[in-house]
Amino acid sequence: MNGTESTLSMETDVVCKMKLNREDVKFTSEYEGKTYYFCSLSCKKKFDEDPEKYISFYHPGR
């Protein structure tokens, strides 16, 4: 990073918590109208099998 990159283009893989640059992400899933970004096909598959398990971390009480 050269210091000019916007933090708005950063996402977090909800499965492994890795920080990702949105433009570089190859794996995504849509769930309840929101796009989730993943570092690998493995993380995407885990999310797709049980999305509530992973989004409850970001939305407590679900």
Side-chain angles (χ1 to χ4, degrees):
M1 263 196 284
N2 61 14
T4 60
E5 184 173 327
S6 170
T7 56
L8 296 177
S9 66
M10 297 303 289
E11 297 289 342
T12 301
D13 182 322
V14 295
V15 175
C16 71
K17 311 299 186 272
M18 180 183 285
K19 297 287 185 194
L20 308 167
N21 184 333
R22 187 181 301 167
E23 290 80 27
D24 297 335
V25 171
K26 295 180 179 146
F27 305 101
T28 62
S29 289
E30 292 280 331
Y31 183 71
E32 294 186 342
K34 180 170 173 25
T35 302
Y36 293 89
Y37 299 83
F38 305 97
C39 68
S40 66
L41 184 57
S42 173
C43 282
K44 177 185 168 29
K45 286 181 177 181
K46 287 178 184 177
F47 177 85
D48 290 344
E49 289 172 4
D50 189 5
E52 289 293 326
K53 175 180 178 180
Y54 299 101
I55 65 170
S56 63
F57 176 81
Y58 293 98
H59 306 287
R62 283 184 64 119

